[in-house]
Amino acid sequence: MRLKAIAALIIVIAVNFAAWYALNRPVAQRSWDGMIPSVSFNPYQPDQDPLAKKYPSIDQIDRDMSLVANITDGVRTYDALNGFEKIPAIAQKYHLTVMAGAAVDNNRGGPNHDDLELASLIDIAKRHKNVTALIVGNEQILTNQMTSDQLVAMMKKVRDATKHRIPVFTCDNSTAWINHPDLVAGSDFICVHILPYHDSIPVDQAIDQIFKVRKVLADKYPGKPIILGEVGWPSEGPWQGGAEPSRVNQAAFVRAFLNRAQEEHLDETIQGIPGYNIIEAFDQPWKHQIESTGESWGLFDAQRNPKFAMSGSLIEIRNWKELCGYASLIALPIMGWFLWRRRDINLFGLVFFPLLIQATASLLVWTWFQVNHGPYDPGIRAVWYVMVSMQVVLFGVILSDGLEITELLFRSHWRRLIQPKRGAAMPDGPKVSIHVPCYNEPPHMVVETLDALARLNYGNFEVLVIDNNTKDPAVWKPIEAHCATLGSRFRFFHLDNWPGFKAGALNFALRNSAPDTEVVAVIDSDYTVDPDWLAAMVPHFNNPKVGLVQSPQDYRDWRGDLFKTMCNWEYAGFFNIGMITRNERNAIIQHGTMTMMRRAALEGAGGWPEWCITEDADLGLTMFEQGWEALYAPDSFGKGLIPDSFSAYKTQRHRWAYGAVQIMKHHWRNLLPGSKVLTPGQRYHFIAGWVPWFADAAHMLFSFASIVWSIGMLTVPAMIWLGTRLWGQDYLIAHQHYGAVQRVIGETFGFPPMAFMIPTILAFTFKLIAGFWVYTVRIKCSPLQKVGAAVAGMALTHTVGRAIWQGIFTSGRPFVRTPKCADQPAVMQGFIMARDEIIWLVALVAVAIGVLWHFTLQNEQALIWSTAVLVQALPFAAAVITSFCNALPVLFSRPHGEPATSAAE
């Protein structure tokens, strides 16, 4: 491998390592080298769920107990049934104490449920000496499940049954204890839950908050023993004000609390009971149904891997070096293949594109890690795996764009780009038959086109004008009369009730071309060509392998009109960027007008395909399948008219996108890897050229999903709140008691993982920056014109997406002509032309604002989610802007005298 390529590879690998390190910089934090007095123990596995009555087995409980025995001296449980009554015996095997709990719920778990729980709790106390406390209920006051009188009565029942041998109490938050002195009197201990995260306390203030709240209780109830029943911090979930969940923050909280508790002598037992309990041992995926962060408080993740060490520096992803290595291994074969083959790319390009490959590989590895190690149950995890596969497609689009940028900006030379010789007449040459299809076109426009053809400085050509299916003779008769004035070179045909749309008219022209015709040229009826068009382009057919020669579409009526200026520069991107890179691999798109074909190649392909509404692109692909070569010259030899309205602009793009799906469905076998009919470069460009349109279809799906998901995040909490007020019970009990109906409305909509939101925003940012970068180098237009082109291109996203979906599920959409020279629309047309996009825009903006309002600006996940939703709204906003630029030309158009350059420059 060349030294330049090796140097590029070393640079990329070093940058990748530096990026992983920067995102996982070690954070200094005081270590902890002791045992934790007690941790909450819920041994539910990732596929288990008490709401669905799926409980852990004895073996699973034992395996989990063997893990926690390495970090703690005791455990706290929350249930005395469903196999949890076996926990004390298993804990005794590992020399652990147990604070045993009973999940009383005012019998909402079933008839006599509370009596069964209490009976089991009493039996546990009688049979196991390692049980140090009996806990009756958990946060029953906070959740309005029970009254203090009920709890006091239950505690008395347990205390009497155990002959006051073991302390009996309940656990709740500080408000419950402060507001219910009778509960304090009826409980042997104040077991208080203090979770600063839920109070929106930043992690660096959380420890002080815990001891402040504990002091309030101690001052109010002097002499009453107090233990901290739950203290902890989540590793994942939404920000609560300034409280940020993360692994580093969780580790920092736990270490800091353990050290502070030791200094405050809080780790000393009171009557054999530990002074605090850390929540919790293991992540609990099932809890995503009842609270947004309930699943991520474990010291171990759901797969039983420890989340952090108790000593040394803290790192967000402890095995980041391993993940960095995986990312490098994934990217290395692709980078190596590119670096080995591309000797025509300079050093900057050899670094840029491999760096993009490496970045996408690292993002995929990071996403996979987040999904695989997140606190998700198997069902949710399966959904995220599907999302990962869709991210692969997104990154494929990004890499395709990156390759195009690399080839455009960092290539040392072009192999196949032709440079036509202009200015010289060609009196002799092969016979060219120029075909001009018309349908209901304004006569003055077609006359201008024919006059330009009459001025060609090429000696051997004819012009066939085919008007098909125009009903009004007043439209086509003037064209026929004008052809008669231009001489015998010009022949006019009017066809009534002719099938096949434009392709049908062109096939008629092919059959009626002069017998000695060697080259067939086609222009649309709005194009005025340069005199040297044929003389400059026909000589390229001297190569017998060439079947198609193409020059770009260009436009002449955009100056002074903002809407048309935007469209002009949007068109210019394809013809001055995409077509140039495609030409290098003999894979250009035939785009109908300004095209020339060898007659033998055209007839060998069966003529123009009348089944396809984009007959030009399909014919070009068929020629490639038959082994013909195509050449592209970026020189502009003719200028047409831009659609007069945003509706017409959308109609044209809808036809192109729908036709692309038709072509893919017709040629799919030849587009598959390994096909020998097309070259790898041809397959790549045709697929890569259409994938962004399928991404627009996915954009519609994601936008709809974002709206539904956001509404779920906003309304489900309200439904739970209403259910609580109506039924007097918390969501968990309602979920269990009311079954399927409550399950449908009660599933919590949480924020999707950052692993999906962040790459989406990064991908959009990359495409935006890359687009401006390439336009700056390749397209000679002003910065404002670049912005206009970007807006016009985005404005078509919904139209293209809709066309793709229709193309997937239908096959017979009719050909729709793009009208020219139409009247400018009225102001109301601005709303009408963008009606669908306005509806989508309003919906997306509304849910984004709603999420920010509901979760506040301090919630990082709300900010990122709302940003992602607003990014999805941008194409719809672009459509509205473009529509009104078209509908209000007086307000938005610039003066006619303002200079501008042509798209062909």
Side-chain angles (χ1 to χ4, degrees):
M1 188 181 291
R2 297 161 299 149
L3 290 177
K4 188 167 62 172
I6 294 174
L9 188 62
I10 293 173
I11 291 171
V12 170
I13 292 174
V15 170
N16 182 55
F17 184 87
W20 278 93
Y21 174 79
L23 295 172
N24 294 279
R25 290 189 304 274
V27 177
Q29 178 67 39
R30 187 177 175 185
S31 297
W32 168 259
D33 57 3
M35 297 291 282
I36 301 172
S38 177
V39 296
S40 296
F41 185 74
N42 274 311
Y44 290 103
Q45 308 299 304
D47 60 341
Q48 294 170 349
D49 178 356
L51 307 181
K53 301 188 181 306
K54 295 180 180 179
Y55 302 102
S57 67
I58 299 301
D59 288 342
Q60 289 170 334
I61 295 173
D62 191 285
R63 284 197 298 271
D64 282 354
M65 193 70 74
S66 69
L67 288 176
V68 300
N70 295 316
I71 63 171
T72 187
D73 292 324
V75 296
R76 174 190 168 182
T77 65
Y78 294 80
D79 194 345
L81 298 173
N82 306 307
F84 287 73
E85 69 277 9
K86 306 292 185 182
I87 288 178
I90 297 172
Q92 191 165 3
K93 171 183 172 182
Y94 293 100
H95 310 291
L96 299 177
T97 62
V98 178
M99 291 192 291
V104 294
D105 60 7
N106 216 359
N107 290 324
R108 293 186 179 94
N112 302 316
H113 175 265
D114 290 355
D115 289 339
L116 293 173
E117 282 280 348
L118 295 179
S120 180
L121 185 67
I122 293 167
D123 182 63
I124 287 171
K126 290 179 178 179
R127 292 191 298 110
H128 300 289
K129 294 182 179 180
N130 62 328
V131 174
T132 59
L134 303 177
I135 304 173
V136 178
N138 183 66
E139 297 185 347
Q140 258 65 31
I141 302 297
L142 173 65
T143 57
N144 295 321
Q145 288 187 55
M146 303 179 72
T147 66
S148 58
D149 289 342
Q150 289 176 300
L151 286 169
V152 168
M154 286 183 174
M155 286 187 285
K156 183 178 185 306
K157 178 179 179 181
V158 173
R159 193 176 292 112
D160 291 344
T162 57
K163 304 184 184 303
H164 297 250
R165 183 176 62 85
I166 301 175
V168 179
F169 48 84
T170 189
C171 297
D172 221 306
N173 72 344
S174 59
T175 303
W177 292 109
I178 290 172
N179 293 338
H180 294 276
D182 57 327
L183 189 66
V184 175
S187 184
D188 292 335
F189 278 70
I190 294 177
C191 179
V192 61
H193 295 173
I194 308 177
L195 303 170
Y197 165 78
H198 286 310
D199 295 322
S200 302
I201 306 297
V203 69
D204 58 351
Q205 303 171 28
I207 307 303
D208 288 340
Q209 176 71 8
I210 290 172
F211 284 89
K212 185 185 299 182
V213 172
R214 188 181 186 282
K215 185 176 186 304
V216 169
L217 289 171
D219 291 344
K220 184 174 178 64
Y221 303 109
K224 192 75 174 184
I226 299 173
I227 65 170
L228 303 182
E230 287 183 358
V231 291
W233 195 270
S235 61
E236 295 188 41
W239 281 42
Q240 298 281 1
E244 176 191 0
S246 73
R247 291 199 178 201
V248 165
N249 283 351
Q250 183 186 37
F253 172 90
V254 171
R255 285 202 205 172
F257 173 79
L258 293 175
N259 281 288
R260 176 77 174 272
Q262 186 179 58
E263 293 166 359
E264 301 275 349
H265 304 291
L266 204 63
D267 56 342
E268 297 176 0
T269 60
I270 307 172
Q271 300 178 35
I273 298 173
Y276 63 85
N277 173 76
I278 298 292
I279 181 168
E280 63 188 314
F282 305 104
D283 280 349
Q284 299 292 295
W286 67 272
K287 288 186 180 179
H288 82 276
Q289 302 172 75
I290 56 174
E291 58 173 309
S292 59
T293 57
E295 69 268 31
S296 62
W297 295 70
L299 301 176
F300 295 84
D301 65 24
Q303 288 71 43
R304 277 43 186 173
N305 303 304
K307 290 187 186 176
F308 53 87
M310 288 295 184
S311 61
S313 298
L314 298 177
I315 300 173
E316 185 64 26
I317 301 177
R318 293 174 61 192
N319 61 332
W320 69 266
K321 292 181 182 178
E322 179 183 343
L323 298 180
C324 177
Y326 288 146
S328 295
L329 288 175
I330 291 171
L332 193 59
I334 308 173
M335 293 191 297
W337 175 83
F338 173 79
L339 292 169
W340 179 258
R341 290 175 58 91
R342 300 313 297 266
R343 300 176 184 270
D344 58 334
I345 303 296
N346 64 30
L347 180 59
F348 292 104
L350 293 179
V351 171
F352 170 76
F353 188 59
L355 198 59
L356 189 62
I357 295 171
Q358 184 64 79
T360 56
S362 290
L363 276 173
L364 275 176
V365 168
W366 177 68
T367 301
W368 183 264
F369 172 81
Q370 295 293 325
V371 170
N372 223 34
H373 291 81
Y376 310 119
D377 64 36
I380 293 295
R381 196 182 303 280
V383 173
W384 297 147
Y385 285 151
V386 172
M387 294 293 290
V388 170
S389 67
M390 299 186 78
Q391 269 198 355
V392 172
V393 176
L394 172 65
F395 291 146
V397 174
I398 295 301
L399 289 178
S400 176
D401 290 344
L403 179 60
E404 184 174 75
I405 291 170
T406 303
E407 294 184 334
L408 281 167
L409 304 185
F410 305 115
R411 182 191 288 270
S412 59
H413 64 278
W414 298 95
R415 295 180 300 105
R416 301 186 78 251
L417 193 64
I418 58 176
Q419 296 179 333
K421 296 180 180 180
R422 308 191 63 148
M426 191 173 183
D428 297 317
K431 182 64 168 285
V432 179
S433 184
I434 303 172
H435 300 166
V436 185
C438 304
Y439 167 66
N440 206 34
E441 307 288 4
H444 74 275
M445 181 188 77
V446 182
V447 166
E448 190 175 0
T449 296
L450 299 178
D451 287 344
L453 291 173
R455 295 190 291 270
L456 287 169
N457 57 7
Y458 189 86
N460 193 13
F461 75 93
E462 67 173 358
V463 177
L464 277 63
V465 182
I466 306 93
D467 180 89
N468 64 319
N469 302 318
T470 300
K471 304 304 180 185
D472 186 357
V475 175
W476 61 266
K477 283 288 187 181
I479 302 172
E480 180 182 41
H482 191 71
C483 283
T485 68
L486 294 175
S488 60
R489 289 180 187 269
F490 289 77
R491 290 189 283 158
F492 179 87
F493 301 89
H494 172 70
L495 309 177
D496 278 325
N497 299 319
W498 197 259
F501 307 107
K502 182 180 179 180
L506 290 173
N507 281 331
F508 175 88
L510 178 60
R511 291 192 294 270
N512 285 275
S513 297
D516 59 341
T517 295
E518 295 184 41
V519 175
V520 173
V522 178
I523 63 168
D524 287 346
S525 58
D526 61 317
Y527 265 73
T528 57
V529 299
D530 294 351
D532 55 356
W533 173 42
L534 296 185
M537 298 294 286
V538 169
H540 296 292
F541 285 100
N542 292 336
N543 181 347
K545 296 180 180 179
V546 172
L548 169 67
V549 176
Q550 185 80 58
S551 55
Q553 295 183 18
D554 199 0
Y555 303 93
R556 66 180 186 271
D557 63 332
W558 54 272
R559 290 179 175 82
D561 185 302
L562 180 57
F563 165 71
K564 291 188 177 183
T565 299
M566 295 164 65
C567 296
N568 176 73
W569 295 114
E570 189 272 331
Y571 287 130
F574 175 75
F575 295 109
N576 290 276
I577 296 173
M579 286 289 277
I580 292 176
T581 57
R582 297 178 74 108
N583 182 64
E584 283 297 291
R585 296 184 180 87
N586 189 33
I588 64 171
I589 290 280
Q590 194 202 49
H591 48 76
T593 193
M594 303 305 299
T595 187
M596 297 181 184
M597 294 156 288
R598 192 182 297 275
R599 182 175 187 171
L602 176 56
E603 291 178 337
W608 297 88
E610 298 181 19
W611 61 270
C612 183
I613 64 174
T614 48
E615 70 293 324
D616 43 10
D618 181 79
L619 176 60
L621 180 56
T622 300
M623 286 184 174
F624 287 133
E625 291 171 340
Q626 295 185 343
W628 291 100
E629 292 187 9
L631 292 174
Y632 180 74
D635 304 55
S636 173
F637 287 97
K639 292 180 171 62
L641 301 179
I642 290 173
D644 289 295
S645 70
F646 183 50
S647 291
Y649 185 50
K650 293 200 298 181
T651 297
Q652 181 189 67
R653 199 59 56 95
H654 185 281
R655 176 168 62 85
W656 294 354
Y658 186 90
V661 182
Q662 285 185 308
I663 294 170
M664 291 189 76
K665 291 162 81 171
H666 190 73
H667 296 264
W668 65 270
R669 290 180 180 84
N670 295 334
L671 294 169
L672 292 175
S675 169
K676 303 300 183 182
V677 177
L678 296 171
T679 67
Q682 289 168 341
R683 291 198 303 271
Y684 164 74
H685 274 294
F686 276 92
I687 293 173
W690 286 325
V691 162
W693 284 355
F694 282 84
D696 289 344
H699 174 265
M700 286 183 64
L701 184 63
F702 287 140
S703 295
F704 178 75
S706 296
I707 293 169
V708 172
W709 197 270
S710 297
I711 291 173
M713 286 194 292
L714 295 171
T715 59
V716 166
M719 297 165 92
I720 296 171
W721 178 86
L722 180 61
T724 302
R725 294 301 176 268
L726 291 176
W727 300 318
Q729 57 191 11
D730 73 334
Y731 162 68
L732 173 60
I733 302 302
H735 189 93
Q736 291 175 309
H737 189 65
Y738 287 92
V741 175
Q742 182 65 15
R743 180 176 291 272
V744 170
I745 67 171
E747 291 288 336
T748 301
F749 285 78
F751 290 104
M754 294 281 195
F756 299 115
M757 294 189 286
I758 292 177
T760 300
I761 296 171
L762 290 177
F764 174 80
T765 303
F766 170 80
K767 287 182 70 68
L768 199 63
I769 294 173
F772 274 89
W773 185 15
V774 173
Y775 256 67
T776 298
V777 176
R778 299 294 308 182
I779 310 295
K780 305 303 181 182
C781 61
S782 70
L784 285 178
Q785 288 169 337
K786 293 186 186 75
V787 173
V791 171
M794 280 197 295
L796 296 167
T797 301
H798 177 66
T799 296
V800 170
R802 186 162 49 86
I804 295 297
W805 285 117
Q806 290 173 343
I808 291 172
F809 295 108
T810 66
S811 58
R813 302 287 291 188
F815 181 94
V816 180
R817 182 182 67 92
T818 304
K820 307 292 195 311
C821 298
D823 293 335
Q824 289 284 3
V827 173
M828 282 304 296
Q829 286 284 50
F831 290 99
I832 295 171
M833 291 187 297
R835 178 188 57 193
D836 292 348
E837 290 89 344
I838 289 173
I839 294 172
W840 281 91
L841 176 63
V842 170
L844 287 166
V845 171
V847 297
I849 293 173
V851 167
L852 282 177
W853 175 81
H854 181 78
F855 293 99
T856 76
L857 291 170
Q858 291 180 303
N859 188 312
E860 182 187 50
Q861 283 190 307
L863 281 171
I864 294 176
W865 173 253
S866 296
T867 300
V869 171
L870 291 174
V871 164
Q872 293 180 77
L874 286 177
F876 302 109
V880 177
I881 292 170
T882 305
S883 184
F884 277 92
C885 286
N886 177 219
L888 302 173
V890 175
L891 293 180
F892 290 110
S893 295
R894 55 182 169 76
H896 284 270
E898 181 180 334
T901 54
S902 144
E905 292 182 46

